Amino acid sequence: VYKRQGDDCITIKSGRDLQARKIGRPCENITITNCTMLSGHGGVVIGSEMSGGVKKVTISNCVFDGTDRGIRIKSTRGRGGVVEDIRVSNVVMSDIKREAVVLNLKYSQMKMEKKSERTPVFRNIFVTGLTVRATQTPLKVDGLPEAPIEGIVFRDIYVNDAKEECLFRDCKDLVIDDVYVNGEKIKYEKSIFDTSPGVGVAGVLQYLQGDSLLSRHCGEPARSHCGRKRHHRAAQGPDFHHGIQ
């Protein structure tokens, strides 16, 4: 199947805000396979209208060529609902203008509020067997302080010609295994720096370069820029970034 769209190539939604939460009918048991996505805002997008819930979705054996984003899962405060049990495998992407994979609970800039039925939840999301050539941001995970994105696995991922670093913020139970960006392996290890349960990531990203493991603790998250000296940051609290050339 070939998809060429002026909007998202494939979008999964389940209704918006209170009305959809009352109906409570999730969009579920979906298989997307053997598709080629050409242009479009996103290859496969879930949300932001996901208040009824989205679960049990598999995306496999696809090619994304020239989309603005590859895999995009998005929501915001006020939506409520749960996105869970999402599996992405064996996907090849090229010339992705922004993020190859993005999980974002800050799609719109809503004011901070206490956790309630209005709070969206993302959990149990697995991305494996991904090859990306040319993208702005390889991986971005951006949860909420009151609802960190949890249970995320990035495994067997190879990204070349990425212009910016990965971003991981307000998430927990993150697994990064056999992930390479611009030829450098990303390693995730538990850290003593963040001991805030249920608020941020209890860990630190560390960069491996040859035999030297480089990392340093810093108080504020910051981005590196292409062409600057490679550096490695582990931000205290819920934020940390991975810097690349």
Side-chain angles (χ1 to χ4, degrees):
V1 177
Y2 285 82
K3 296 287 289 183
R4 186 188 299 271
Q5 293 289 114
D7 205 322
D8 299 321
C9 294
I10 294 177
T11 307
I12 300 170
K13 300 177 183 286
S14 64
R16 179 173 176 170
D17 299 345
L18 179 60
Q19 182 182 30
R21 294 198 302 270
K22 284 185 174 180
I23 295 172
R25 184 174 297 172
C27 197
E28 60 183 329
N29 302 322
I30 298 169
T31 297
I32 299 169
T33 190
N34 298 331
C35 294
T36 298
M37 317 297 186
L38 303 174
S39 66
H41 293 326
V44 177
V45 179
I46 298 175
S48 69
E49 295 87 350
M50 39 61 67
S51 304
V54 177
K55 60 183 180 179
K56 292 183 281 187
V57 177
T58 65
I59 304 160
S60 63
N61 304 326
C62 292
V63 173
F64 299 172
D65 188 358
T67 58
D68 291 349
R69 295 174 174 88
I71 301 295
R72 186 183 191 188
I73 305 177
K74 59 183 179 177
S75 189
T76 190
R77 292 183 177 102
R79 291 280 192 262
V82 178
V83 173
E84 62 183 343
D85 302 335
I86 312 297
R87 299 192 69 98
V88 180
S89 61
N90 300 332
V91 174
V92 175
M93 302 184 189
S94 60
D95 298 321
I96 305 301
K97 296 178 179 62
R98 300 190 67 175
E99 302 94 353
V101 178
V102 54
L103 317 177
N104 184 13
L105 283 174
K106 300 185 180 83
Y107 176 60
S108 62
Q109 297 300 316
M110 301 287 288
K111 291 182 179 180
M112 186 85 169
E113 58 183 65
K114 292 181 179 180
K115 189 173 183 179
S116 68
E117 67 172 11
R118 289 170 42 85
T119 306
V121 173
F122 289 176
R123 63 191 178 209
N124 302 336
I125 299 170
F126 303 85
V127 181
T128 62
L130 179 66
T131 299
V132 182
R133 178 182 59 78
T135 187
Q136 188 79 14
T137 305
L139 306 172
K140 178 178 177 179
V141 178
D142 199 359
L144 297 170
E146 68 272 22
I149 300 173
E150 59 183 299
I152 311 157
V153 175
F154 292 119
R155 176 174 288 129
D156 186 22
I157 296 175
Y158 295 83
V159 181
N160 288 313
D161 193 15
K163 297 178 181 178
E164 294 184 355
E165 76 275 20
C166 299
L167 168 64
F168 303 89
R169 178 168 52 204
D170 291 322
C171 55
K172 64 180 183 177
D173 301 331
L174 172 67
V175 174
I176 295 178
D177 180 27
D178 216 17
V179 175
Y180 291 81
V181 176
N182 292 351
E184 301 288 347
K185 185 175 183 178
I186 302 173
K187 186 177 181 181
Y188 173 77
E189 292 183 353
K190 294 293 182 182
S191 169
I192 62 173
F193 298 137
D194 181 6
T195 58
S196 305
V199 174
V201 179
V204 57
L205 272 182
Q206 295 178 318
Y207 226 29
L208 289 174
Q209 181 182 12
D211 295 328
S212 63
L213 178 62
L214 305 174
S215 68
R216 70 183 180 88
H217 183 237
C218 62
E220 296 181 1
R223 288 185 176 272
S224 64
H225 298 278
C226 302
R228 292 187 179 179
K229 184 178 179 180
R230 183 182 292 113
H231 63 280
H232 316 276
R233 298 178 183 266
Q236 188 175 19
D239 295 352
F240 62 86
H241 297 251
H242 147 238
I244 61 176
Q245 277 188 325

